[in-house]
Amino acid sequence: MFKLIALMSVVLVSLQLNANDNAVYEKLLPQYITWAIQTDAKGMKIGKPLDEKGILLAKEIGITSPEKVRIVYVDEVPYPYENEQLKQLGLSLGFIGEGIRNEAQAFGYSIYVRKDLDFTLPKLAHELVHVQQIERANSFSEYAFQYLMDLAQWGYEKAPLEVEAFKANEKYKHGFEPAS
């Protein structure tokens, strides 16, 4: 997800620098959000629910409705390739294309994960933090907008939503024992 968000942050920064491009922002971000919401809906239908330990981890992270979370294992994390404008933008900025690989991404309650990824507990925790952030924002649209604004202001490594998710990677790198 961070790659797509990074792409959109580049768009936002460019738009801040060039007000004439406002139409691009107004057109592309809503298109991406619509696509992402549809992707989440598909994931909710075909994804696997968290196991008992996953639900306990999601609760510990602060997810209000952990029973809704679904994991969707895919050959490739989806991207709106069918949308020529988003595809061309992604290619031109190096977000998608040869040698670029998105391993996992939360689109709401559905988390898409590459089948060939060793989806460790820290990686699950990281994605669950993004699910919790989406819940906290009340909608994927609000979350995506905040995420993009954060990236535009601080960059990927220092964006508050990513910093929060990376703390989960660190916290759970040695495992998780649910309270009994």
Side-chain angles (χ1 to χ4, degrees):
M1 175 147 176
F2 75 90
K3 290 178 185 173
L4 185 55
I5 299 301
L7 163 70
M8 297 308 265
S9 70
V10 169
V11 171
L12 282 175
V13 170
S14 297
L15 294 171
Q16 289 171 348
L17 296 174
N18 185 352
N20 293 333
D21 289 338
N22 195 37
V24 173
Y25 169 72
E26 290 175 358
K27 188 173 182 181
L28 291 182
L29 185 57
Q31 286 179 31
Y32 171 72
I33 289 170
T34 297
W35 171 84
I37 290 169
Q38 291 169 352
T39 300
D40 181 47
K42 289 176 191 171
M44 295 302 293
K45 291 178 184 173
I46 63 172
K48 297 180 181 187
L50 295 172
D51 61 17
E52 184 178 332
K53 190 172 182 179
I55 287 176
L56 292 173
L57 175 62
K59 285 180 181 179
E60 180 170 296
I61 286 171
I63 294 176
T64 305
S65 301
E67 71 284 351
K68 291 182 180 180
V69 176
R70 297 291 183 267
I71 307 295
V72 183
Y73 292 97
V74 292
D75 293 326
E76 183 178 352
V77 173
Y79 183 84
Y81 293 103
E82 67 282 357
N83 181 316
E84 193 60 34
Q85 290 176 316
L86 289 175
K87 178 181 174 184
Q88 290 306 314
L89 185 60
L91 287 168
S92 69
L93 296 174
F95 176 71
I96 59 172
E98 188 88 22
I100 298 171
R101 180 178 156 159
N102 187 355
E103 295 181 339
Q105 183 171 339
F107 289 99
Y109 284 107
S110 62
I111 301 170
Y112 284 74
V113 180
R114 288 181 66 99
K115 290 177 186 175
D116 60 350
L117 175 67
D118 182 15
F119 197 51
T120 61
L121 183 72
K123 291 177 183 175
L124 171 61
H126 181 107
E127 295 305 323
L128 288 173
V129 167
H130 288 309
V131 171
Q132 192 275 334
Q133 292 166 343
I134 293 165
E135 274 188 339
R136 192 170 65 211
N138 296 315
S139 73
F140 183 81
S141 298
E142 288 179 29
Y143 165 79
F145 181 77
Q146 182 62 52
Y147 194 100
L148 293 172
M149 297 283 66
D150 289 352
L151 285 177
Q153 183 172 357
W154 292 293
Y156 176 73
E157 295 294 323
K158 294 181 182 176
L161 295 173
E162 275 305 329
V163 168
E164 182 182 1
F166 279 119
K167 285 180 183 176
N169 288 76
E170 189 62 29
K171 181 176 181 177
Y172 298 105
K173 72 179 179 184
H174 298 297
F176 166 67
E177 288 303 321
S180 28

